[in-house]
Amino acid sequence: MTTAVSSATPQAPPAATLDGLPLTVGLAGREVLLVGAGPVSARRAATFLEAGAVVRVVAPRVDPAMADLAARAGDHLVVVTRSFTPTDLDSPWMVHVATGDPRVDAEVAALCEERRIWCVTAGDSALGSVRVPARTAVATPAGMVRIAVDSGDPRRSVRVGRHVARSLATAPAGLRARRRRATGWVALVGGSGDGDLLTVRARRLVHTADVLVVDGAADAALLAELDDDVEVLEAGPDLPAARVAELVATRYAAGHGVVRIAAAATLAERARELEAGGVEFEVVPGVV
């Protein structure tokens, strides 16, 4: 027996609560088409190349900056000197439009919409389906932490991104990697363990580490800034330096990040202990 089910009254889709969804797009080995070859397109082409994309540029005129970039990029960037045609959309995964002519930009954006190709329109972001956010990054031994900011106002986004990067550099937080690598990293830092006397780079390393080793009692204020699961080792009578070096080598081999803070006068000795344990490390001088 077949039961007839009446369809419900069509409902309108819910109103969007986000003006776009920030995503990281994998472009390595994929074609990105740039329509327009002016200074804006040259800057974006460099960004797409950094992401590993194969870049094709179509424009009747080519800015010197784009020509220079093409000369340096080799086969990864191809410039076709002519006007855009719809067949240019047969192969790219993404399109960037910046021709300086609003009519051409709108035409390309409309064609991309029909073909379901993501499109960035530099002249009028409302025409496209993708925006390129302001970007910055903070380097850590466990890899780069990339930051993207999109406020709808490009200049504002750049300022906010720079502020966030500076904040993470001078007051780092949440920089620890949660996925273990095959081999960890070790930094030998000169200092007393007093957080106020550490260099900016040393503090960033401390906040990236899984294990913190200090001579004597650790600075309570510094420990309060760290994640609860950071292992803290205090070298002293109950934990001699030789044993500390063994523990550091074990943690390093397990893929952990380790910061060993030692007084400047003992850095050379601590370095020899790490070398004897087969540990690769960097030395970060302290404040003197």
Side-chain angles (χ1 to χ4, degrees), residues 96-123:
H96 178 280
V97 187
T99 66
D101 185 335
R103 291 174 299 177
V104 175
D105 289 358
E107 175 192 354
V108 175
L111 289 171
C112 287
E113 186 70 16
E114 289 179 7
R115 300 194 183 195
R116 300 185 179 183
I117 301 172
W118 295 117
C119 179
V120 182
T121 52

Side-chain angles (χ1 to χ4, degrees), residues 215-284:
D215 292 327
D219 177 21
L222 179 61
L223 296 183
E225 300 176 5
L226 306 181
D227 293 341
D228 293 339
D229 58 343
V230 171
E231 182 180 11
V232 179
L233 302 176
E234 298 176 341
D238 297 331
L239 188 61
R243 176 57 179 156
V244 168
E246 293 177 3
L247 292 172
V248 170
T250 299
R251 304 299 188 270
Y252 168 74
H256 294 264
V258 183
V259 169
R260 172 70 164 102
I261 301 178
T266 66
L267 278 181
E269 184 178 356
R270 300 289 85 84
R272 287 192 293 270
E273 293 167 352
L274 294 174
E275 289 171 348
V279 175
E280 296 183 5
F281 60 93
E282 68 167 305
V283 177
V284 181

Side-chain angles (χ1 to χ4, degrees), residues 26-283:
L27 294 178
R30 296 186 171 110
E31 181 184 321
V32 175
L33 170 68
L34 276 73
V35 182
V40 172
S41 293
R43 291 195 295 271
R44 290 287 172 80
T47 297
F48 294 138
L49 288 170
E50 289 174 2
V54 177
V55 178
R56 185 162 57 93
V57 180
V58 174
R61 292 174 297 280
V62 179
D63 186 83
M66 181 68 82
D68 178 67
L69 181 62
R72 291 184 281 111
D75 295 340
H76 298 286
L77 193 160
V78 176
V79 178
V80 181
T81 311
R82 59 166 171 75
S83 297
F84 166 83
T85 65
T87 57
D88 288 319
L89 300 180
D90 290 346
S91 54
W93 292 65
M94 181 182 294
V95 174
H96 178 280
V97 187
T99 66
D101 185 335
R103 291 174 299 177
V104 175
D105 289 358
E107 175 192 354
V108 175
L111 289 171
C112 287
E113 186 70 16
E114 289 179 7
R115 300 194 183 195
R116 300 185 179 183
I117 301 172
W118 295 117
C119 179
V120 182
T121 52
D124 184 354
S125 61
L127 291 175
S129 52
V130 179
R131 290 194 299 264
V132 178
R135 300 166 310 284
T136 186
V138 176
T140 79
M144 299 292 288
V145 176
R146 295 179 179 84
I147 302 161
V149 180
D150 178 19
S151 67
D153 178 342
R155 292 184 180 179
R156 180 189 184 199
S157 297
V158 169
R159 289 197 301 271
V160 172
R162 289 174 178 170
H163 174 74
V164 172
R166 286 194 299 268
S167 297
L168 286 176
T170 57
L175 293 179
R176 287 177 60 210
R178 295 295 177 172
R179 293 182 179 178
R180 296 280 176 260
R181 302 192 300 178
T183 304
W185 57 270
V186 176
L188 180 57
V189 173
S192 63
D194 185 341
D196 291 337
L197 298 180
L198 294 175
T199 64
V200 170
R201 173 160 179 75
R203 286 183 62 84
R204 192 185 313 154
L205 291 169
V206 167
H207 282 270
T208 310
D210 305 298
V211 183
L212 174 65
V213 185
V214 297
D215 292 327
D219 177 21
L222 179 61
L223 296 183
E225 300 176 5
L226 306 181
D227 293 341
D228 293 339
D229 58 343
V230 171
E231 182 180 11
V232 179
L233 302 176
E234 298 176 341
D238 297 331
L239 188 61
R243 176 57 179 156
V244 168
E246 293 177 3
L247 292 172
V248 170
T250 299
R251 304 299 188 270
Y252 168 74
H256 294 264
V258 183
V259 169
R260 172 70 164 102
I261 301 178
T266 66
L267 278 181
E269 184 178 356
R270 300 289 85 84
R272 287 192 293 270
E273 293 167 352
L274 294 174
E275 289 171 348
V279 175
E280 296 183 5
F281 60 93
E282 68 167 305
V283 177

